[in-house]
């Protein structure tokens, strides 16, 4: 799920996985990592407490969150836990179980896991907002022990260049889309570790070692979201009327009352990766309620453009069913009309004003010096000429006239 802020600035996407006690073998996936004062996770916790979310807070058995993981040193990933909640013996036991599952899943993944120390506080994370409401065993995975390695994490400068994505010279856009970079390979290792751990924690048995993330899928995601969203893969997973959300460069604008291009693309990609292709007509896909057994209250249905038909410009469209949905993350302060709330954030968008500028051409330094020199020269010549004319006035203009008589 990707979260938007009607009336608020949209949060930055991140990754949180929660294991549900109420639904054994199922997992709830959400993008709720934010930088604007935990504004998205605040709303999610609020909805859970108010029973406005399919999953209740007391049914979350474990919490696993990804922080920044792209700049690992020596393939080390740090497992951060909350020392305050671990003072409870029951929570501490569950945290140790979670840590053990992560260590077991790291075997053969290419990732080395370490703990920063029991007394170190939990780093900035959405998990903190959940802990304010209830002690939940959880782990935050990051590539740093204390200080951030990525100085631009979750900012407009968190670009492909700053996380070390490199491509050989001379590759076409399509070749770059599928070229597996070192960054993609490293993130695929983290995804492998995470998938195996979730499989184990959700009740999976033997066979988790066969789970492995596809580096090519990771590299396509990185290319699409960080370099060029107008690529062949993204073109195939969007609806025909969404071509306007594709652009030659990443979109970093944060929206207020409507999903941004990045959010819509994320939903389309998640739907493509986790959904099912159905043999439905366009009318049936766009009106699933009219077809028996479609359960539109549980699933989203998209009529997508599909890939190109060979070398022609025609496409092979189809219907995709998925559980990936958009959910508004309006701050509870607006719903409760508590504008002075110290519990919930109230970030809003700044007022737009027209910007004007006047441009003037400035001469070069040599021209300025030449103009100044000529000005002084003209001034000196004028003074000298005035002095000479004044001293020779009698000779030049004759003697002054005498007194007149009448």
């Amino acid at each position: 799920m990707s979260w938007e802020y009607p009336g608020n600035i949209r949060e930055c996407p991140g990754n949180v996985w929660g294991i549900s006690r109420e639904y054994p073998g199922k997992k709830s996936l959400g993008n709720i990592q934010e930088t604007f004062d935990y504004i998205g996770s605040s709303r999610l916790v609020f909805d859970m407490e108010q029973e406005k979310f399919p999953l209740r807070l007391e049914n979350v058995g474990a919490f696993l969150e990804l922080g920044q993981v792209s700049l690992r040193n020596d393939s080390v990933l740090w497992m951060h836990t909350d020392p305050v909640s671990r003072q409870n013996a029951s929570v501490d036991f569950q945290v140790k179980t979670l840590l053990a599952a992560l260590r077991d899943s790291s075997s053969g993944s290419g990732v080395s896991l370490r703990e920063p120390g029991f007394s170190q506080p939990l780093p900035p994370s959405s998990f903190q907002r959940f802990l304010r409401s209830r002690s939940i065993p959880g782990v935050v995975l990051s590539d740093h022990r204390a200080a951030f390695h990525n100085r631009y994490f979750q900012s407009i400068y968190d670009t492909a260049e700053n996380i070390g994505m490199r491509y050989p010279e001379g590759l076409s856009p399509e070749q770059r889309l599928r070229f597996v970079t070192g960054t993609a390979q490293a993130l695929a290792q983290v995804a492998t570790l995470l998938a195996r751990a979730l499989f184990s924690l959700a009740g999976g048995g033997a066979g988790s070692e066969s789970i492995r993330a596809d580096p090519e899928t990771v590299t396509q995601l990185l290319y699409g979201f960080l370099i060029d969203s107008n690529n062949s893969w993204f073109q195939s997973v969007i609806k025909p009327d969404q071509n306007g959300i594709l652009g030659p460069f990443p979109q970093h604008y944060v929206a207020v009352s409507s999903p941004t291009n990045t959010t819509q693309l994320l939903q389309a990609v998640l739907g493509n990766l986790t959904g099912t292709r159905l043999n439905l007509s366009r009318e049936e896909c766009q009106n699933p309620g009219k077809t028996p057994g479609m359960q539109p209250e549980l699933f989203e249905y998209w009529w997508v453009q599909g890939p190109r038909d060979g070398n022609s410009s025609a496409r092979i469209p189809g219907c995709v069913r998925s559980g990936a949905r958009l959910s508004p993350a309006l701050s509870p302060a607006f719903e409760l009309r508590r504008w002075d709330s110290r519990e919930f954030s109230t970030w809003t968008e700044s007022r737009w004003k027209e910007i004007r500028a006047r441009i003037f051409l400035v001469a070069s330094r040599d021209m300025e010096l030449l103009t100044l020199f000529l000005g002084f020269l003209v001034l000196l010549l004028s003074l000298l000429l005035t002095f000479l004319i004044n001293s020779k006035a009698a000779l030049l203009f004759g003697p002054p006239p005498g007194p007149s008589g009448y």
Side-chain angles (χ1 to χ4, degrees), residues 72 74-79 98-107 109-116 139 141-142 190 193 197:
R72 290 181 289 138
D74 300 324
S75 297
V76 174
L77 212 58
W78 294 91
M79 301 183 293
L98 184 58
L99 294 174
L102 287 168
R103 289 194 185 93
D104 293 341
S105 302
S106 66
S107 177
S109 66
V111 180
S112 176
L113 295 176
R114 296 182 187 175
E115 291 185 66
V139 175
L141 296 175
S142 71
V190 177
L193 161 69

Side-chain angles (χ1 to χ4, degrees), residues 81-387:
T81 58
D82 176 46
V84 178
S85 61
R86 291 188 65 179
Q87 294 178 8
N88 181 292
S90 175
V91 173
D92 183 56
F93 175 78
Q94 295 177 72
V95 170
K96 289 179 180 178
T97 302
L98 184 58
L99 294 174
L102 287 168
R103 289 194 185 93
D104 293 341
S105 302
S106 66
S107 177
S109 66
V111 180
S112 176
L113 295 176
R114 296 182 187 175
E115 291 185 66
F118 183 81
S119 61
Q120 179 171 308
L122 194 67
S125 57
S126 298
F127 185 31
Q128 297 214 24
R129 187 59 186 83
F130 283 77
L131 289 172
R132 289 179 60 182
S133 298
R134 179 174 172 269
S135 292
I136 303 173
V139 175
V140 177
L141 296 175
S142 71
D143 58 13
H144 60 279
R145 178 178 182 177
F148 279 8
H149 289 164
N150 185 357
R151 297 178 300 168
Y152 307 113
F153 184 55
Q154 293 188 344
S155 74
I156 62 174
Y157 303 108
D158 198 2
T159 60
E161 293 78 9
N162 288 328
I163 64 172
M165 287 180 60
R166 301 289 185 270
Y167 295 93
E169 295 290 339
L171 294 183
S172 66
E174 191 65 26
Q175 290 173 326
R176 295 178 74 187
L177 172 65
R178 303 186 183 281
F179 179 81
V180 179
T181 63
T183 302
Q185 188 67 50
L187 290 177
Q189 293 175 348
V190 177
T192 298
L193 161 69
L194 193 63
R196 291 176 180 177
L198 289 173
F199 178 78
S200 174
L201 291 168
S208 63
E209 63 277 357
S210 63
I211 299 175
R212 188 168 298 275
D214 180 21
E216 185 172 327
T217 300
V218 177
T219 204
Q220 290 183 85
L221 286 168
L222 289 172
Y223 182 84
F225 285 111
L226 296 179
I227 296 179
D228 186 4
S229 62
N230 193 14
N231 59 72
S232 58
W233 184 33
F234 280 11
Q235 290 170 5
S236 68
V237 301
I238 62 173
K239 301 175 183 178
D241 59 351
Q242 288 184 314
N243 281 307
I245 68 176
L246 300 178
F249 47 84
Q251 303 292 325
H252 294 298
Y253 177 72
V254 287
V256 174
S257 58
S258 61
T260 63
N261 295 350
T262 301
T263 301
Q264 295 180 68
L265 282 175
L266 180 61
Q267 184 190 23
V269 170
L270 286 176
N272 175 266
L273 294 175
T274 65
T276 304
R277 187 103 173 189
L278 302 179
N279 187 22
L280 297 177
S281 66
R282 181 168 185 170
E283 182 179 356
E284 290 173 333
C285 186
Q286 294 177 339
N287 300 280
K290 297 181 180 180
T291 304
M294 290 293 100
Q295 297 180 301
E297 66 279 1
L298 296 179
F299 300 101
E300 287 281 332
Y301 291 82
W302 294 291
W303 183 260
V304 298
Q305 294 188 138
R308 293 189 182 277
D309 187 4
N311 295 325
S312 68
S313 59
R315 293 186 175 275
I316 307 175
C319 184
V320 173
R321 180 181 69 184
S322 174
R325 294 175 177 267
L326 293 182
S327 178
L330 178 69
S331 172
F334 290 95
E335 183 169 320
L336 300 174
R337 305 187 68 82
R338 288 165 47 189
W339 319 122
D340 58 346
S341 172
R342 295 182 179 273
E343 177 74 11
F344 304 110
S345 308
T346 53
W347 288 89
T348 59
E349 185 178 29
S350 301
R351 181 169 62 95
W352 287 93
K353 294 183 65 176
E354 184 179 358
I355 300 176
R356 295 184 178 183
R358 299 180 66 185
I359 300 176
F360 300 89
L361 293 177
V362 178
S364 66
R365 183 174 180 81
D366 294 339
M367 181 61 70
E368 290 178 339
L369 292 175
L370 178 61
T371 304
L372 180 63
F373 174 76
L374 291 177
F376 275 116
L377 183 61
V378 170
L379 176 62
L380 293 176
L381 290 176
S382 299
L383 293 176
L384 178 61
L385 185 61
T386 302
F387 174 77

